């Protein structure tokens, strides 16, 4: 790297740090994530994402696995790691694109599109006993296969009938049987008519498709209305929706709900609308992380308020994200290091089966946990670390990366990789609710990994 490049990257890092002061979109900074599919289970919101690799191959989507994150406050996200790979489908050769997971009868069913080893698009289904896996191929073969069979969305209606929609350039659906692993063969695969009334018209009509519908459908119900959200218009995609009084239509075009996001250069988008703790949230993706773009996207979220007539409003993508946390975080309970509202310079490793921890810790890296309620006061900080780092330490700060320094915890000089030990240090007494910043400082190469922290 030349001195000029180095100065440029330092400047970019400063600007990035500055930009994050009150900005919490994208919600994941440790990986590029895309195609968000939210699911609520047991008081937590899980968001399942596809994953754009850090290295793009042949200037196309380079996607091998799916990841999962969860929250109970909509601002601090716990990373559950890589929970499913195309390699878990013995018959697949790659392209782990947009999927969705749903809970039914004690199991979690994850519908995902991949390409078959023998060629062609297919939809597989993986099943697990827990929302974060381990997931296993439920059928040992595709549930569905055909040209354009991508982006499945799954929905269970109030009468317990489940539906799977998918497709680009067409839109298809099946009625799933109760086992969630087969579908109504009498009805078969239904192709939805992409009429002007249902899905509007395409303005960028270079490839002569009949309507604005592109891909990535998302089915959602509110009161007695079904909403079908989808990326629309061809690339660059905007988000639009249609409504119906039944989950199988006929659909009536609604409107645009998010314009094309120009900043960041992602030419796709992908909706995931969900209710959680009395509020409604739209998940989508952009290319806003440093180095981001069309093949390095990032999941974001905005709160949504329906119009009084039940229509969806035009939603503005923000870098701020969710303004008001739904709960405060209790620092006197062990908090996983991979639970964070924002981070810089860090990665995570592992998965829900092996355990997830924070890694790639270098000088100046930090993580932020929002809305921490210290109550009447904390006096001690402890953390579980492995590995070591010359002169390594964690600065415990309030409200910003260079905010009030509560204390500094030194890293164990004799720490070994993969051997976890607990360090502790005294902190200035702190009361009330604050954003907590853990800032990493040290010199030379670090083998440090960080598993959890807790105040006393
Ligand atoms: O992420 C790969 C593909 O890009 C998805 O399947 C589409 O919905 C688009 O987001």
């Amino acid at each position: 790297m030349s001195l000029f490049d180095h100065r440029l990257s330092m400047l970019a890092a400063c600007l990035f740090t500055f930009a994050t002061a009150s900005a919490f979109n994208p919600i994941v900074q440790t990986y590029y994530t895309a195609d968000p599919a939210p699911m609520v289970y047991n008081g937590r919101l899980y968001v399942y994402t596809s994953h754009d690799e850090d290295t793009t191959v042949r200037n196309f989507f380079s996607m091998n696995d799916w990841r999962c994150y969860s929250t109970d406050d909509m601002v601090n996200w716990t990373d559950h790691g890589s929970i499913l790979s195309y390699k878990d489908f013995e018959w697949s050769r790659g392209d782990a694109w947009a999927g969705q997971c749903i809970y039914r009868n004690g199991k979690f069913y994850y519908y995902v599109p991949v390409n078959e080893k023998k060629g062609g698009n297919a939809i597989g289904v993986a099943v697990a006993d827990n929302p974060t896996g381990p997931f296993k191929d439920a059928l040992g073969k595709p549930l569905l296969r055909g040209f354009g069979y991508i982006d499945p969305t799954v929905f269970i209606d109030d009468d317990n009938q489940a539906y799977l929609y998918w497709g680009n350039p067409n839109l298809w659906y099946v009625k799933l049987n109760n086992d969630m692993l087969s579908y109504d063969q009498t009805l078969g695969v239904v192709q939805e008519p992409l009429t002007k009334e249902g899905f509007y018209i395409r303005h960028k009509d270079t490839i002569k498709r009949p309507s604005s519908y592109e891909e990535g459908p998302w089915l959602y119900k509110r009161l007695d209305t079904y909403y079908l959200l989808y990326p629309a218009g061809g690339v660059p995609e905007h988000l639009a929706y249609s409504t119906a009084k039944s989950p199988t239509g006929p659909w009536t075009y609604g409107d645009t709900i998010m314009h094309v996001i120009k900043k960041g250069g992602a030419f796709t988008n992908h909706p995931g609308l969900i209710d959680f703790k009395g509020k409604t949230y739209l998940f989508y993706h952009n290319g806003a992380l440093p180095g981001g773009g069309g093949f390095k996207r990032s999941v974001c979220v905005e709160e949504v308020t329906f119009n009084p007539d039940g229509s969806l409003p035009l939603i503005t993508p923000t870098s701020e994200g969710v303004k008001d946390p739904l709960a405060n975080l209790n620092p006197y309970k062990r908090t996983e290091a991979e639970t964070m509202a924002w981070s810089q310079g860090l990665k995570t490793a592992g998965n829900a089966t092996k355990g997830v921890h924070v890694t790639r810790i270098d000088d100046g890296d930090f993580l932020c946990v929002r809305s921490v309620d210290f109550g009447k006061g904390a006096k001690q900080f402890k953390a579980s670390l492995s590995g070591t780092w010359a002169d390594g330490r964690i600065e415990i700060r309030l409200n910003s990366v260079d905010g009030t320094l509560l204390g500094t915890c030194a890293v164990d000089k004799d720490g070994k990789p993969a051997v976890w030990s607990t360090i502790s240090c005294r902190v200035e007494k702190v009361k009330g609710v604050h954003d907590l910043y853990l800032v990493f400082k040290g010199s030379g190469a670090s083998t440090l990994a960080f598993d959890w922290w807790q105040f006393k």
Side-chain angles (χ1 to χ4, degrees):
M1 185 188 272
S2 71
L3 191 60
F4 177 73
D5 287 342
H6 180 69
R7 286 205 182 124
L8 213 59
S9 71
M10 292 299 284
L11 178 66
C14 288
L15 289 173
F16 183 47
T17 305
F18 177 72
T20 61
S22 61
F24 296 98
N25 263 336
I27 62 170
V28 178
Q29 307 81 38
T30 44
Y31 285 87
Y32 294 112
T33 55
D35 304 320
M39 177 192 82
V40 173
Y41 174 72
N42 218 3
R44 283 189 81 77
L45 188 148
Y46 294 81
V47 60
Y48 296 81
T49 74
S50 57
H51 166 211
D52 288 332
E53 294 290 338
D54 287 357
T55 304
T56 302
V57 182
R58 287 192 285 276
N59 197 29
F60 192 60
F61 296 111
S62 305
M63 304 171 72
N64 300 321
D65 61 350
W66 295 271
R67 302 184 62 83
C68 181
Y69 301 83
S70 75
T71 185
D72 65 356
D73 58 19
M74 288 306 293
V75 296
N76 294 308
W77 292 92
T78 301
D79 186 334
H80 301 289
S82 169
I83 55 158
L84 182 68
S85 159
Y86 78 86
K87 292 179 184 155
D88 293 319
F89 299 95
E90 192 276 318
W91 45 270
S92 164
R93 69 164 185 218
D95 297 310
W97 287 11
Q100 187 184 346
C101 183
I102 202 164
Y103 172 78
R104 182 161 199 179
N105 294 336
K107 300 263 184 215
F108 296 84
Y109 297 90
Y110 200 174
Y111 300 86
V112 291
V114 284
N115 277 328
E116 285 195 79
K117 275 183 181 157
K118 63 180 185 186
N121 305 126
I123 293 171
V125 53
V127 67
D129 295 327
N130 293 294
T132 54
F135 282 92
K136 287 200 166 56
D137 181 5
L139 296 171
K141 61 179 184 180
L143 172 66
L144 292 149
R145 53 160 69 95
F147 177 76
Y149 279 28
I150 65 165
D151 294 0
T153 182
V154 58
F155 170 81
I156 302 175
D157 207 354
D158 300 333
D159 63 1
N160 279 329
Q161 175 61 57
Y163 299 85
L164 194 77
Y165 271 83
W166 72 93
N168 174 343
N170 294 308
L171 175 63
W172 295 275
Y173 75 84
V174 289
K175 279 182 163 183
L176 290 169
N177 293 330
N178 285 340
D179 64 5
M180 300 296 274
L181 303 176
S182 59
Y183 58 91
D184 182 341
Q185 292 290 333
T186 315
L187 182 69
V189 173
V190 181
Q191 186 172 331
E192 194 62 44
L194 293 176
T195 60
K196 178 182 169 190
E197 295 69 32
F199 298 90
Y200 201 46
I201 48 166
R202 184 172 288 249
H203 293 298
K204 291 168 274 192
D205 204 5
T206 50
I207 39 180
K208 296 274 178 226
R209 296 195 197 194
S211 80
S212 179
Y213 172 84
E214 179 75 20
E215 58 183 358
W218 181 266
L219 195 51
Y220 166 93
K221 186 181 186 184
R222 181 175 182 261
L223 304 175
D224 61 351
T225 302
Y226 298 83
Y227 295 75
L228 193 67
L229 282 65
Y230 45 91
V235 295
E237 294 170 343
H238 62 275
L239 298 181
Y241 80 104
S242 306
T243 59
K245 289 295 171 197
S246 109
T248 57
W251 297 97
T252 302
Y253 179 72
D255 210 339
T256 294
I257 53 169
M258 185 175 280
H259 290 310
V260 169
I261 304 173
K262 296 209 175 93
K263 205 174 145 200
F267 53 87
T268 62
N269 201 342
H270 197 100
L273 189 70
I274 197 152
D275 299 327
F276 183 54
K277 296 189 175 176
K279 297 183 180 240
T280 304
Y281 297 94
L282 177 76
F283 289 80
Y284 62 99
H285 66 225
N286 66 15
L289 274 192
F295 303 123
K296 290 185 182 173
R297 299 158 294 172
S298 290
V299 167
C300 299
V301 64
E302 309 293 343
E303 191 181 335
V304 175
T305 306
F306 277 86
N307 295 320
D309 65 358
S311 59
L312 274 163
L314 183 66
I315 297 150
T316 305
T318 70
S319 52
E320 192 177 11
V322 172
K323 291 182 201 66
D324 304 316
L326 299 182
N328 292 331
L329 188 135
N330 177 356
Y332 305 109
K333 281 187 13 200
R334 168 179 155 153
T335 297
E336 296 304 312
E338 66 274 13
T339 296
M340 53 184 96
W342 192 265
S343 68
Q344 184 178 294
L346 303 171
K347 284 278 187 196
T348 60
N351 60 29
T353 315
K354 295 186 200 143
V356 181
H357 55 264
V358 168
T359 181
R360 304 254 198 108
I361 299 172
D362 291 305
D363 189 44
D365 293 348
F366 70 90
L367 66 85
C368 163
V369 181
R370 275 177 78 186
S371 216
V372 177
D373 187 356
F374 289 95
K376 290 193 185 140
K379 285 185 180 164
Q380 192 199 45
F381 173 83
K382 55 183 183 172
S384 173
L385 304 172
S386 72
T388 196
W389 191 14
D391 194 27
R393 57 207 187 272
I394 303 177
E395 291 181 354
I396 301 131
R397 293 182 178 271
L398 287 190
N399 302 326
S400 74
V401 70
D402 50 7
T404 307
L405 181 65
L406 292 184
T408 303
C409 251
V411 165
D412 181 358
K413 298 267 177 300
D414 302 318
K416 308 255 179 313
V419 179
W420 296 101
S421 61
T422 305
I423 59 162
S424 67
C425 57
R426 287 191 66 79
V427 290
E428 297 292 323
K429 194 164 182 183
V430 51
K431 296 181 181 178
V433 179
H434 301 273
D435 290 350
L436 172 70
Y437 282 75
L438 301 180
V439 186
F440 304 96
K441 295 282 172 69
S443 41
S446 140
T447 58
L448 203 65
F450 181 19
D451 193 21
W452 55 264
W453 60 266
Q454 186 170 359
F455 282 85
K456 210 171 125 180

